[in-house]
């Protein structure tokens, strides 16, 4: 065995061999199979690899590996680009290959999004899901090389969009989208081209305002330092007066420029008589500015412009973060609404077919849905038979068979044939539409925490100014000569810099650290919510299990399996794929020839039942019990017992028959992730409650639950997306924090509503958007890392906050009673901030070195 | 120390010109995408394309 291995390492480069033995060539996920001929984890990855390879673009993989080397090799201080922490290629979802993207050719799309350029070229910007790293940029920007007709392609990683210029005479946009889909990226229309432009303008304006506010506050700070120093060493009156006028001038620029937004907000609040956070802020700013300006003109008294301009700056930054969070929430919703197509084919009463916008579909319209298209409305099928991919709502990777009378749900995918349906509910009335509105409300509720932070900072400033006035008044009566000194000392030491730094700094360090290990956390408040043990609810398919159909166990002669696989060799069905993988694995293990792929003489597919055919004069049938009955195949007692056992174990049995007698059985199922049990046990020992919430059949769910020691009382199977949401909301009523871990669109609402939603790699884009945490590593161990990081971060925040509060409290008291000179205060202020920064970062470095 | 009367306005003017430069850059969209350009810079130049190349 060893010598065999030695020979091989001679032939192939060692790294290449490692990858070949255990990882998918495209996405580098570990392969379940040990077979070396099987280089891909799924059809999707294989298609993507073939396309890249055939175009001579293999450099993509080199760039990806090189960039990930840069990413992971860098030290902590440069690793703040959370979005790029993981450079791995994601597996290509097979569903992508089935989509036709005809929407992108519809006149409606063209009216809204396509801009005409000279020489017959056109331009459009598409939203692209799945781009995440430098290699993606490289690959997509080479689109003109391998898609004739495309003239220009440019990727924007920040907004996940692709700007395309192409020649519509040569290629259709849907064609380009299918080509991109083969690489694993899903193209969809951006919400609206005009809205995008407006947002871009808004972003730029906001950035400029923040820049002005920052520059103003920094420059006033310089002047203020000189003034404070002058209090100690003495300063010529005319110089003092100059600096005061400079501060006042810059301060007024800051307040009337970037700060004017608060005055406008306050004015609107007064007009509409709705109390608003802008009101106290504006009052504070206004009073400070007027008295400061008056004191400048009078030539004596206190200026407040340094604190005021700093306040404007911090509040603007807070606002920018908040608006970005809200937009992200809205985008998650937009993403879902894009799951339904923009147009539908309506069959008119005279038999003609008309392409109309989905909004125009009415109840009882007859619609035609082509293969590869998405069902546009909820309704009933009235013509045809087809496979429907409902993974969107159920998370189930297997397609279901639909015939006349089957209820169809908007957003699911018609996989195989053209069908006709009668619409019953449209737009927001559909199940998908209702789901969208629930995700929307759940996401928006969560952003309120940021507003709360806004409030705190406003209150803080108002308190400090009030305190300064009180102290000033008190000293006015005690000793007028030291009044100014006291007030200045108080204002300086009360500056909440250390307090303000304590939280964001610790959070930034925590986020950066977890990003390095492939766990992306969207916001700081997530860490806070994760720090206390609560209830962790897991989805089953794809989260606790591997989410891929596999042969768990085979009963019968190998020759029969081999024949069955040969029969299925031309099928792309997930069952056929699982069988092929398993047979190759067996062949390797037992050193027998792998299943032949050609000598099939005749095959017949039985819709929703299985497949039959002849191989070397033997008639073979592979399928379910219904197929066996239909072909009058006898099943002996022994096999029947195996069949029942398989059902009881919660797996799907597949029968193999040869010449009228069933002789083999393959148990198909979804394997539990190897690390699941250990991770759950460890979480339990830390005080977390574990639950399982799945859309799968209750029996299968309870089997998985038993295997993982999850109590039946916290096991819920057969839950629809709506029920999942309901369960999460019910659990939240207990008062303990509820975390949801899931991967599919059907989990999106639950993920958004849970206190913390954790999405797992390989899941649907919508769930990634709705979740607060994304485990790029795809391993459940990541959950433990998140919890540990949040626990540690909260501890650091607590320590920092207590230290700086203690400092502020002592210093303010000392300053009020006059024991603190302004200069000592000016020295203490940066000293406290520096302490907080160095302690936080040092703790992080020490941890790194220890590693 | 009357140099302050010249130095301080110059400092303010310098700060103002920096702000103006920043505003100009932001308006031009220099800060729209902070992710892609830094990666694009690391990629090699394109080789001459040969569209007929197909394996």
């Amino acid at each position: 065995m060893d010598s065999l291995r030695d020979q091989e390492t001679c032939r192939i480069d060692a790294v290449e061999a490692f990858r070949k033995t255990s990882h998918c060539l495209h996405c580098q996920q570990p392969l379940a199979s040990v077979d070396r001929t099987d280089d891909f984890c799924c059809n999707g990855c294989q298609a993507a690899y073939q396309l890249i390879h055939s175009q001579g673009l293999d450099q993509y993989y080199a760039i990806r590996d090189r960039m990930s080397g840069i990413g992971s090799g860098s030290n902590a201080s440069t690793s703040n680009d959370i979005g790029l922490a993981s450079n791995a290629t994601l597996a290509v979802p097979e569903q992508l290959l089935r989509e036709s993207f005809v929407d992108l050719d519809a006149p409606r799309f063209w009216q809204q999004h396509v801009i005409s350029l000279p020489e017959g070229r056109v331009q459009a910007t598409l939203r692209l899901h799945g781009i995440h790293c430098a290699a993606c940029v490289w690959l997509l920007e080479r689109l003109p090389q391998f898609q004739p007709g495309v003239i220009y392609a440019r990727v924007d990683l920040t907004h996940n969009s692709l700007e395309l210029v192409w020649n519509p005479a040569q290629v259709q946009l849907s064609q380009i989208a299918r080509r991109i889909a083969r690489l694993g990226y899903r193209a969809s229309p951006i919400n609206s081209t005009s809205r995008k432009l407006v947002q871009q303008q808004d972003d730029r304006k906001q950035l400029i305002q923040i820049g002005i506010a920052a520059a103003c506050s920094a420059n006033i700070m310089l002047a203020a330092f000189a003034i404070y120093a002058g209090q100690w060493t003495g300063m010529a009156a005319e110089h003092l007066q100059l600096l005061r006028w400079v501060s006042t001038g810059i301060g007024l620029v800051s307040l009337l420029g970037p700060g004017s937004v608060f005055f406008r907000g306050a004015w609107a609040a007064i007009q509409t008589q709705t109390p608003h956070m802008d009101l106290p802020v504006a009052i504070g700013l206004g009073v400070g500015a007027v008295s400061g300006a008056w004191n400048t003109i009078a030539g004596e008294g206190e200026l407040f412009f340094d604190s005021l301009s700093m306040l404007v700056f911090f509040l603007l930054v807070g606002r920018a973060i908040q608006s970005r969070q809200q937009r992200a929430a809205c985008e998650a919703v937009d993403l879902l609404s894009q799951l339904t197509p923009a147009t539908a084919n309506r069959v008119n009463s005279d038999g003609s077919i008309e392409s109309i916008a989905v909004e125009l579909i009415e109840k009882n319209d007859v619609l035609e849905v082509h293969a590869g298209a998405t069902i546009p409305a909820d309704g009933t099928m009235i013509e045809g038979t087809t496979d429907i991919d409902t993974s969107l709502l159920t998370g189930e990777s297997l397609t279901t068979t639909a015939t006349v009378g089957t209820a169809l749900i908007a957003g699911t995918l018609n996989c195989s044939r053209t069908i006709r349906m009668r619409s019953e509910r449209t737009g927001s009335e559909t199940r998908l539409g209702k789901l969208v509105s629930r995700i929307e409300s759940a996401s928006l509720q969560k952003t309120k925490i940021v507003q709360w932070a806004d409030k705190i900072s406003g209150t803080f400033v108002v308190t400090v100014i009030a305190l300064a006035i009180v102290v000033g008044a008190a000293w006015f009566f005690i000793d007028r000569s030291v009044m100014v000194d006291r007030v200045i000392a108080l204002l300086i030491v009360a500056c909440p810099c250390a307090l303000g730094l304590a939280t964001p700094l610790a959070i930034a360090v925590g986020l950066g650290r977890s990003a390095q290990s492939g766990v992306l956390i969207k916001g700081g408040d997530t860490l806070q919510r994760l720090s206390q043990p609560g209830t962790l609810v897991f989805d089953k398919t794809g989260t606790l299990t591997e989410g891929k159909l596999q042969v768990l166990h085979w009963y019968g002669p190998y020759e029969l399996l081999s024949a069955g696989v040969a029969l299925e060799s031309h099928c792309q069905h997930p069952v056929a794929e699982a069988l092929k993988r398993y047979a190759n694995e067996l062949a390797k293990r037992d050193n027998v020839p792998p299943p032949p792929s050609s000598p099939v003489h005749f095959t017949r597919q039985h819709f929703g039942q299985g497949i039959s055919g002849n191989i070397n004069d033997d008639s073979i049938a592979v399928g379910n019990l219904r197929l066996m009955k239909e072909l009058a195949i006898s099943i002996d007692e022994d096999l029947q017992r195996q069949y029942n056992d398989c059902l009881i174990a919660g797996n799907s049995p597949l029968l193999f028959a040869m010449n009228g007698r069933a002789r083999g059985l393959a148990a198909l199922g979804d394997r539990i992730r190897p690390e699941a049990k250990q991770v759950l046990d460890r979480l339990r020992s830390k005080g977390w409650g574990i639950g399982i919430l799945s859309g799968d059949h209750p029996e299968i769910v309870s089997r998985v639950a038993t295997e993982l020691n999850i109590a039946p009382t916290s096991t819920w199977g057969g839950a629809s997306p709506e029920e999942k949401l309901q369960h999460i909301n019910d659990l939240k009523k207990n008062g303990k924090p509820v975390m949801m871990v899931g991967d599919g669109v059907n989990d999106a609402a639950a993920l958004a509503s849970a206190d913390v939603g954790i999405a797992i790699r390989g899941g649907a884009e919508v769930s990634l958007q709705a979740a607060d945490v994304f485990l790029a590593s795809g391993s459940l161990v990541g959950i433990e890392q998140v919890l540990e990081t949040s626990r540690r971060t909260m501890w650091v925040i607590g320590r920092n906050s207590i230290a700086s509060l203690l400092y502020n409290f002592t210093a303010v008291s000392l300053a009020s009673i006059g024991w603190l000179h302004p200069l000592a205060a000016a020295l203490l202020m940066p000293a406290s901030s520096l302490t907080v920064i160095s302690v936080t970062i040092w703790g992080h470095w020490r941890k790194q070195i220890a590693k | 120390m009357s140099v302050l009367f010249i130095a301080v306005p110059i400092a303010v003017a310098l700060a103002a010109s920096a702000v103006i430069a920043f505003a100009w850059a932001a308006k031009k969209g220099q800060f729209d995408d902070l992710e892609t350009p830094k990666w694009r810079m690391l990629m090699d130049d394109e080789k001459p394309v040969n569209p007929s190349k197909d394996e």
Side-chain angles (χ1 to χ4, degrees), chain A residues 53-56 59 63 66-67 70 81 84 87 134-135 137-138 141-142 145 154-159 200 204 207-208 211-212 215 219 238-239 242-243 246 250, chain B residues 1-5 8-9 11-12 15 19 22-24 26-36 38-40 42-47 49 51 53-55:
Chain A
H53 187 65
S54 68
Q55 298 298 329
Q59 208 192 337
I63 290 181
R66 201 170 69 212
M67 295 294 177
I70 293 172
D81 6 302
L84 289 171
N87 247 326
V137 177
W138 183 87
E141 292 189 350
R142 262 140 202 80
Q145 284 180 30
R154 202 156 174 90
V155 174
D156 181 339
L157 271 178
T158 311
H159 303 102
Q200 199 176 41
R204 289 175 186 175
L207 190 65
I208 293 172
I212 295 174
N219 281 287
E238 70 263 31
H239 292 154
L242 168 72
L243 289 172
V246 167
I250 304 177
Chain B
M1 284 295 274
S2 54
V3 69
L4 272 184
F5 290 99
V8 170
V12 171
V19 168
F22 171 76
W24 173 82
K27 265 192 198 131
K28 286 269 172 187
Q30 293 286 329
F31 298 99
D32 283 359
D33 181 9
L34 300 175
E35 291 292 338
T36 330
K38 67 177 180 194
W39 295 105
R40 204 178 272 133
L42 293 172
M43 290 164 198
D44 296 332
D45 286 341
E46 296 192 24
K47 285 179 197 147
V49 191
K53 188 189 164 195
D54 226 304
E55 285 176 4

Side-chain angles (χ1 to χ4, degrees), chain A residues 445-466:
Chain A
Q445 269 170 9
K446 258 202 264 187
T447 54
K448 284 197 178 134
I449 288 196
V450 185
Q451 293 167 351
W452 179 78
D454 227 28
K455 208 180 270 181
I456 288 284
S457 64
T459 316
F460 191 89
V461 169
V462 171
T463 314
V464 167
I465 289 180

Side-chain angles (χ1 to χ4, degrees), chain A residues 282-305:
Chain A
I283 292 174
L285 291 180
V287 171
V290 169
S291 57
W294 177 255
N295 288 347
T296 310
I297 296 165
E300 57 171 25
E302 190 46 43
L303 303 182
F304 305 99
F305 290 109

Side-chain angles (χ1 to χ4, degrees), chain A residues 172-230:
Chain A
Q172 282 191 314
L173 190 53
S174 63
Q175 234 171 315
I176 304 174
R178 282 197 295 273
R179 186 49 79 100
I180 296 173
R182 267 192 73 187
L183 295 171
Y185 312 102
R186 181 199 298 274
S188 62
I190 50 171
N191 321 334
S192 135
T193 301
S194 55
R195 205 207 299 179
K196 187 200 133 204
L197 288 175
V198 170
Q199 268 176 7
Q200 199 176 41
Q201 292 301 324
D202 282 352
D203 278 353
R204 289 175 186 175
K205 260 187 220 150
Q206 210 172 34
L207 190 65
I208 293 172
Q209 299 294 317
I210 291 176
I212 295 174
C216 286
S217 60
N219 281 287
I220 295 181
M221 220 26 136
L222 290 177
F225 261 88
I227 294 174
Y228 292 145

Side-chain angles (χ1 to χ4, degrees), chain A residues 489-612:
Chain A
L490 179 107
L491 283 174
I492 301 172
V493 289
C495 170
C497 290
L499 192 62
L501 275 172
T503 311
L505 193 70
I507 286 176
V509 168
L511 297 189
R513 245 178 56 156
S514 44
Q516 276 181 326
S517 54
V519 178
L520 311 182
I521 301 171
K522 273 193 197 153
D525 35 349
T526 306
L527 288 174
Q528 188 188 354
R529 287 190 233 117
L530 278 168
S531 58
Q532 294 293 322
T535 313
L536 261 168
V537 182
F538 289 86
D539 172 44
K540 185 186 74 72
T541 319
T543 305
L544 287 176
T545 65
E546 288 178 348
K548 204 161 76 174
L549 201 64
Q550 286 172 27
V551 177
L552 298 180
H553 140 94
W554 163 251
Y555 171 80
Y558 173 77
E559 290 68 34
L560 186 58
L561 176 68
S562 172
V565 170
L567 201 64
E568 299 237 17
S569 60
H570 297 291
C571 284
Q572 294 287 321
H573 200 266
V575 171
E577 295 294 328
L579 284 176
K580 267 182 243 174
R581 256 199 319 267
Y582 184 73
N584 282 329
E585 225 169 282
L586 266 190
K588 199 86 189 168
R589 194 188 69 193
D590 301 340
N591 217 6
V592 287
S597 56
S598 52
V600 183
H601 298 308
F602 166 78
T603 56
R604 194 175 142 221
Q605 296 209 21
H606 302 261
F607 215 70
Q609 296 183 343
I611 190 169
S612 64

